[in-house]
Amino acid sequence: MREFKETPIGSIPSDWDIKTLDEIKSPEKKSIISGPFGSNISAKYFVSFGVPVIRGNNLSLELGVRFKDNGFVFITEEKANELGTWAIEEDIIFTAVGTIGQIGIIERNTKYKKYIISNKQLRIRVNKSLIEPLFAYYWIASPQMVETIEQRNTGSSVPLINLSVLKSLLIPIPSKSEREQITELLSSLDDKIDLLHRQNKTLEQLAETLFRQWFVEEAEESWEVGKVEDLFLLQRGFDLPAQDRTKGIYPIIASNGINGYHDEFKIKGPGVTTGRSGVLGKVIYTQEDFWPLNTTLFIKEYKIATPLFAYFFLKTLDLETLNGGSAVPTLNRNHVHEMATIIPSHRAVIEFEEIVAVNFQKIKSNTQQICTLTQLRDTLLPKLMSGEVRVNN
């Protein structure tokens, strides 16, 4: 029977240790650093290519999204050497200002060998003889620790954590073999989740390639020119108070994606939406029954089009150029309806739908697996990290 002891981070096995992040940092200089002053890394220093700068958009609140290796701005090598806020493989990065709780770890297969952290980031390089970087990442990125970090907010109008907060965070230290087992199990789940996400992306790309081939590149000369309203009709989404967006099983679709869940739906799936106000240009296909918010337009009537045809068709349109708003970008459905377009044969649309529906059935199956594996990982992580559950059990 395993014995436990009470600690500031909860009950852990008696044979585990507990340390601060300051105690597990690498012995080298600058193993825990904050980013440079904002004026030293402002937009005037950005160049077309060079050393990538890690910002908040490269990190995530989502456990398992370890690092977003895209969307960088760059500075010159000379400027990077002047700043000296380097980040390399297996360094752990935190957002210090703004969306605190965002965390990332630079993995071994990233596009660049070295990065610079921005003025709103903190970075720790751990002592690998004491702890594995990925084990530390899983602990720090766990919901328990994210909540702890958010509670240490020292800002007033803008959320903020500093180096003192970072250094004082506690971490459990199991034996090396147990740390490796925990990390291997969590990594295997994340790798499977990532594989399924990549399969889904590939399946959709294949469907999109077929759409462009059939209806753009090889459009038949016999097809007539008409308007978008000959294919389908759009309608504005429905109001729903914010307090009603956190319960239920039906996805609530906003202009930029899912914005919660509700116990009722407005539209039977499958369905297609795009932004009406705020975020314009993003097109969303959902196979489930759903609630389109008033910030969206959804397809209320299909004429020649089918849901998957309409989804890929809308993605070919430059909807952002139809912005009719001023301060808030706005899309008028009538402007979309009036756009000229080639009207394909109904036979070609139906055949396309039947072919790519197989891809989207596989995507649906993969998505269900992703949800199951994510729930399993999120359930296991706190139990593994507290010693309540052991890998060999």
Side-chain angles (χ1 to χ4, degrees), residues 109-162:
N109 58 349
T110 49
K111 295 178 184 176
Y112 304 92
K113 290 185 177 180
K114 55 184 181 179
Y115 303 78
I116 285 288
I117 63 171
S118 80
N119 59 307
K120 295 183 180 180
Q121 314 302 321
L122 305 173
R123 186 266 286 158
I124 179 171
R125 186 170 298 156
V126 303
N127 185 340
K128 296 178 187 178
S129 66
L130 295 177
I131 196 166
E132 297 72 30
L134 192 53
F135 178 90
Y137 163 78
Y138 275 119
W139 168 254
I140 298 166
S142 68
Q144 174 186 345
M145 284 304 294
V146 169
E147 183 179 354
T148 298
I149 291 170
E150 291 172 344
Q151 290 173 350
R152 302 285 182 89
N153 171 26
T154 62
S156 52
S157 58
V158 179
L160 170 70
I161 60 169
N162 54 35

